[in-house]
Every structure is written in structure tokens, then in C-alpha cells.
């Protein structure tokens, strides 16, 4: 362990920037999400690997007693299997499948929390993106980015993606408590300021310099260039 240094993924703040107030209003209007509803966001390209199946199971438990809860799913158009699952679970009326989206920022702006029960992720960049957007994050212990969360302050980590009861409890807690969401949203945005590209670069450069000390000019081997052969007259 003393020979391992972890430098997490960096967040491109300029690329992630958006007018959240107007983007939120436009997104919720476009997708018929009322102001009184609490929207849970899930976004990925590979729905199977990133845990949409267990999330739908968990959300079904959570939504039973919470008619104002809505789940927003986006990132891929390969969602037929999951649409059928939502129908079987009788939550198809409160799950919005958006398919592939060109720009995920309005989705972040329009939702209230981010749920990501991935089965495997070394350090998913979507977590700092969600935090930057002010969304409390719930993710699995299979996600290296879970180490970026402050438990109970900026989000929650649930070890097992299939632990439906715990996932439902964590989502339900945030859906029910607007004040808690607001408090965690502020903490999330503050935490994201420590995850920028500039911060990661400041962590990485000293490490590279320590591992590969700069050589002086005298130590750099000279390169001898052989003269080009003369062309025959």
C-alpha cells in the first residue's frame, strides 16, 4: 500500500457548466415532471453492467408508498428488456426512458438525486459530474468513485447492487426529505470543487516528478546524427 498512490478522475468544470435553473425548468416541462415530484437519475451506456436491473427492482419497492417519485433513465436506446421489466414491476408509469441523449447536463439539472448500482467501475466519472450538478449520489461498493463520497453528507454507498431493501431505503430517505436533499446538494457541489482537472493535475505532477527525477543537461545522452550519404553524380 505504501507504494500505491491513487489519483482519481478529474472533472472538466467548463464542459460540465450549465444554467441549472433554466435547464431544470425546461427538462421537467419537456418530460412532464412536476415541481412536487422527486426525480431519481440513472445514466449509462451499458445498462446491464451499470446495474439498471437491480435499480428497477429497488425503485419498485421504494415507489410503492411514494407516488411522487419518478426514475429517469437515459444513455442508451437498447432498453426494451428494461422497459418490459418496468411493466412487470408495475412501475412503467413512473419510469421515464429517454434513450440516448446528446447532452446529459439537462438530465442532471432536472433531477434531484443520482442512483448508480454498477457491478463494476474503477472510478466512474459520472459520480463527480453528478456531485458537480448538486445531486446526492447513491452508488455501489463496486464503484471506485464511491471513495469520493462522504457517507451521509454527499451521498451513500450500498455494498451490494442487489441489496434492494437498502437501496430502496436510501432512495426513499432522499425522496421524502427535501431539506436533506438540499443540504446534501450544497455539500455535493462543494466537494466537486476538489475534483477538478486542475486539482488532479496538481496531484499527478509531483508524483511523476518523484518517480522520474529530471536529469541535468550533462546526464542526457547526446544524439549523434550520421550524415546523409551523397547521391551518385
Amino acid at each position: 500500500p505504501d507504494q500505491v498512490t491513487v489519483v482519481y478522475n478529474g472533472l472538466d468544470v467548463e464542459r460540465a457548466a450549465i444554467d441549472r435553473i433554466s435547464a431544470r425548468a425546461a427538462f421537467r416541462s419537456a418530460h412532464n415532471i412536476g415541481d412536487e415530484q422527486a426525480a431519481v437519475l440513472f445514466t449509462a451506456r451499458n445498462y446491464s453492467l451499470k446495474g439498471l436491473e437491480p435499480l428497477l427492482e429497488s425503485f419498485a419497492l421504494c415507489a410503492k408508498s411514494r407516488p411522487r417519485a419518478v426514475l429517469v433513465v437515459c444513455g442508451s436506446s437498447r432498453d426494451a428488456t428494461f422497459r418490459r421489466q418496468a411493466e412487470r414491476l408495475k412501475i412503467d408509469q413512473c419510469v421515464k426512458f429517454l434513450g440516448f441523449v446528446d447532452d446529459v447536463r439537462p438530465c442532471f439539472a432536472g433531477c434531484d438525486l443520482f442512483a448508480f448500482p454498477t457491478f463494476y467501475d474503477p472510478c466512474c466519472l459520472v459520480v463527480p459530474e453528478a456531485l458537480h450538478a448538486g445531486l446526492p449520489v447513491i452508488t455501489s461498493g463496486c464503484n471506485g468513485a464511491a471513495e469520493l463520497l462522504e457517507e451521509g453528507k454527499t451521498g451513500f454507498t450500498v455494498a451490494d447492487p442487489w441489496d434492494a431493501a437498502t437501496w430502496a431505503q436510501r432512495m426513499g430517505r432522499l425522496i421524502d426529505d427535501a431539506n436533506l436533499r438540499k443540504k446534501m446538494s450544497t455539500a455535493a457541489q462543494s466537494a466537486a470543487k476538489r475534483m477538478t482537472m486542475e486539482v488532479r493535475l496538481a496531484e499527478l505532477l509531483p508524483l511523476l516528478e518523484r518517480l522520474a527525477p529530471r536529469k541535468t543537461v550533462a546526464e542526457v545522452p547526446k544524439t549523434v546524427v550520421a550524415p546523409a550519404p551523397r547521391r551518385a553524380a
Side-chain angles (χ1 to χ4, degrees):
D2 61 330
Q3 297 183 31
V4 176
T5 300
V6 177
V7 179
Y8 295 97
N9 284 339
L11 175 68
D12 187 340
V13 176
E14 290 186 7
R15 186 176 180 182
I18 192 173
D19 182 347
R20 291 193 186 93
I21 296 176
S22 60
R24 179 181 177 85
F27 179 86
R28 293 175 84 94
S29 175
H31 299 289
N32 196 28
I33 302 174
D35 291 337
E36 76 286 354
Q37 290 182 286
V40 181
L41 176 64
F42 170 91
T43 181
R45 293 291 182 87
N46 187 334
Y47 287 173
S48 296
L49 180 63
K50 306 305 182 177
L52 181 54
E53 182 180 355
L55 179 58
L56 289 172
E57 298 279 354
S58 305
F59 186 75
L61 292 177
C62 177
K64 281 182 179 179
S65 58
R66 297 176 176 87
R68 65 190 188 91
V70 60
L71 175 62
V72 176
V73 176
C74 67
S76 174
S77 297
R78 297 181 177 181
D79 56 13
T81 298
F82 304 99
R83 286 177 181 269
R84 290 193 295 269
Q85 181 188 359
E87 291 174 3
R88 288 196 307 271
L89 294 169
K90 298 181 179 179
I91 55 172
D92 50 303
Q93 297 302 311
C94 53
V95 179
K96 298 183 181 293
F97 289 92
L98 308 187
F100 174 79
V101 294
D102 290 319
D103 187 355
V104 76
R105 295 176 301 171
C107 303
F108 283 122
C111 293
D112 301 287
L113 60 138
F114 184 70
F116 200 67
T118 178
F119 291 106
Y120 174 76
D121 255 305
C123 184
C124 188
L125 185 58
V126 76
V127 168
E129 287 176 339
L131 294 173
H132 178 263
L135 302 189
V137 172
I138 311 172
T139 192
S140 71
C142 305
N143 186 0
E147 297 175 10
L148 298 173
L149 300 179
E150 295 179 78
E151 189 69 17
K153 294 183 179 180
T154 60
F156 300 103
T157 300
V158 181
D160 184 358
W162 287 110
D163 185 357
T166 303
W167 276 92
Q169 189 276 332
R170 295 290 189 272
M171 284 190 288
R173 182 178 173 187
L174 285 166
I175 290 169
D176 293 340
D177 194 338
N179 289 330
L180 177 61
R181 289 202 308 271
K182 184 177 181 180
K183 181 179 179 180
M184 293 181 73
S185 174
T186 300
Q189 289 177 301
S190 178
K193 294 177 181 178
R194 303 189 294 273
M195 303 175 190
T196 65
M197 286 287 196
E198 290 76 14
V199 170
R200 298 305 181 219
L201 184 61
E203 295 171 349
L204 182 61
L205 287 179
L207 174 63
L208 295 178
E209 291 175 347
R210 177 165 58 85
L211 294 176
R214 295 178 179 176
K215 294 182 178 181
T216 64
V217 174
E219 293 174 316
V220 177
K222 294 181 179 180
T223 301
V224 178
V225 181
R230 292 185 178 182
R231 298 181 61 183

